Amino acid sequence: MKKSWLILLALCAASTAFAKKDQYNPGFDHEDEPWQEQKEDLPPFPALDDAAWQSFSVSNTFIGTPSLLLSSVYRAPDRSVRYVLNIRSEGGYDNLSAEGINCKEGTYKAFAFGDTVNQRWIEARGGSWQSVGSSMYRQDPLRYALKNVFCHGLFPKDEQELRERLKTAWK
């Protein structure tokens, strides 16, 4: 009897492993290979009055009003999600950044910061990929919220799916 339970348990484990491997996810193919960032051009500097900005809520304790430029959200060739973020301060000042989230590693990086006076990007120097944390310990609640939308379940197949996730998550 004990032997049959072990065989049954082994078959269940094997079928679960096969089912997971059989699921195709174009964003996370080559999962066994180390991830390598690819250089991307910065997006055009955005207009702050563009109707494509979508505000969202992070938490009751988050100070400022974050919003994403929906037209800037895309899947990069290195399987990260790139976007333009604006965190408007309580005083009404815009803080722009061009960023990316690596869904595979659970990290984010700021590539450039916006100079709203001269309407240009200033590239970040020596920036590195930072952890957004886990559900138990969120090092960065804002990027954690973005990671949950962008990276939840299967990796989005295209930019339209990314934007749809944003719209449905923050209604």
Side-chain angles (χ1 to χ4, degrees):
M1 183 71 168
K2 196 175 193 181
K3 216 176 201 181
S4 61
W5 277 105
L6 289 174
I7 291 171
L8 182 61
L9 186 61
L11 287 172
C12 287
S15 67
T16 302
F18 177 75
K20 284 183 181 177
K21 192 172 185 175
D22 194 41
Q23 288 180 344
Y24 178 69
N25 186 343
F28 292 123
D29 52 354
H30 313 293
E31 285 194 33
D32 54 336
E33 296 175 11
W35 183 80
Q36 181 66 38
E37 176 186 339
Q38 292 181 4
K39 177 89 170 131
E40 288 282 305
D41 291 335
L42 291 173
F45 196 83
L48 296 173
D49 59 352
D50 190 331
W53 288 98
Q54 180 168 350
S55 296
F56 60 96
S57 176
V58 176
S59 70
N60 294 337
T61 58
F62 187 83
I63 298 172
T65 307
S67 59
L68 278 178
L69 184 60
L70 293 180
S71 59
S72 73
V73 178
Y74 72 98
R75 285 175 32 148
D78 62 9
R79 300 182 315 268
S80 65
V81 178
R82 308 289 174 103
Y83 54 90
V84 173
L85 175 68
N86 182 9
I87 303 172
R88 183 167 285 162
S89 72
E90 289 182 290
Y93 297 103
D94 293 302
N95 299 289
L96 297 175
S97 55
E99 301 183 358
I101 288 186
N102 175 350
C103 291
K104 183 177 179 182
E105 305 288 326
T107 56
Y108 81 96
K109 181 178 180 179
F111 299 102
F113 300 98
D115 172 2
T116 57
V117 173
N118 297 308
Q119 303 288 299
R120 66 186 177 113
W121 291 113
I122 300 170
E123 288 195 47
R125 294 187 191 176
S128 61
W129 291 87
Q130 305 291 317
S131 174
V132 298
S134 65
S135 60
M136 295 297 288
Y137 177 67
R138 294 179 185 117
Q139 293 171 314
D140 187 329
L142 181 127
R143 275 60 175 211
Y144 182 80
L146 290 173
K147 183 186 88 139
N148 279 343
V149 173
F150 291 144
C151 307
H152 182 72
L154 294 177
F155 191 69
K157 65 181 178 225
D158 56 24
E159 285 74 22
Q160 182 62 34
E161 186 176 333
L162 280 167
R163 292 182 191 113
E164 287 303 316
R165 284 186 184 189
L166 289 167
K167 287 177 185 177
T168 56
W170 293 325
K171 279 188 174 184

